[in-house]
Amino acid sequence: MKLFLLRHGLTEANARRLYYGKTDLPLSPEGRRLLKAAKKPPAAAAYYTSGLRRAEETLALLCPGAAHSVIPELREMDFGRFEMHSYEELKDDPAYVAWITGDNMANIPPEGESGNQMLARVLEALPELLQEDTVLVTHGGVIAAIMASLFPEEGKNRYQWQPKPGEGYAITGGTYSAIP
């Protein structure tokens, strides 16, 4: 079994360093350009996305014409009231400070979900991805959750596992390699 985890390409929100998860954004022109020049993933038996536009567009650019299924549980974390805002915009908001202080896997942003809630829904969907050679185009937080779950001995946190837009990991058996 081979699993290719690819983060969607660059969006304007990435470039502006905004929190966004449930917000359904397209790729930026620069994101499209970079993906057109990127190495294509190998052919797979199954292709999946989270269903959000940026993931759909990434799959269409990297694997033109690939039939795929959508697994909504593999969408990014819902940042609630913090969606589409940057650290600079939020740094003086007491609710934001409370969220990022302490255990932000357990802390819930107002009207959003915690890292633990996101992790639980991602892990519930994971077995479907492990049935055959699979390409998944999804989000940085989702990929980080999967990698931390599959490779706990690495001791990395979700920020250390999170690939850049358009990048990801190739997993074969019990090993992985980065996909630049």
Side-chain angles (χ1 to χ4, degrees), residues 132-160:
E132 54 195 338
D133 290 357
T134 299
V135 171
L136 169 64
V137 179
T138 190
H139 311 276
V142 172
I143 292 170
I146 291 171
M147 292 300 291
S149 171
L150 294 177
F151 300 98
E153 69 280 359
E154 296 277 330
K156 295 181 181 179
N157 67 40
R158 64 182 170 167
Y159 302 106
Q160 293 168 312

Side-chain angles (χ1 to χ4, degrees), residues 156-178:
K156 295 181 181 179
N157 67 40
R158 64 182 170 167
Y159 302 106
Q160 293 168 312
W161 279 118
Q162 195 167 95
K164 294 178 183 174
E167 297 183 4
Y169 297 97
I171 302 167
T172 304
T175 64
Y176 70 90
S177 59

Side-chain angles (χ1 to χ4, degrees), residues 19 79 81-82 85-110 158-159:
Y19 289 99
F79 293 101
R81 219 172 15 101
F82 305 144
H85 293 285
S86 69
Y87 169 81
E88 285 301 316
E89 294 170 324
L90 296 168
K91 67 183 179 183
D92 297 321
D93 179 337
Y96 176 75
V97 172
W99 176 61
I100 64 168
T101 303
D103 184 357
N104 72 3
M105 281 297 287
N107 294 348
I108 302 172
R158 64 182 170 167
Y159 302 106

Side-chain angles (χ1 to χ4, degrees), residues 49-71:
T49 73
S50 67
L52 292 177
R53 184 172 174 188
R54 57 196 182 264
E56 294 289 317
E57 291 177 356
T58 299
L59 180 65
L61 287 168
L62 292 178
C63 306
H68 70 284
S69 298
V70 170
I71 302 177

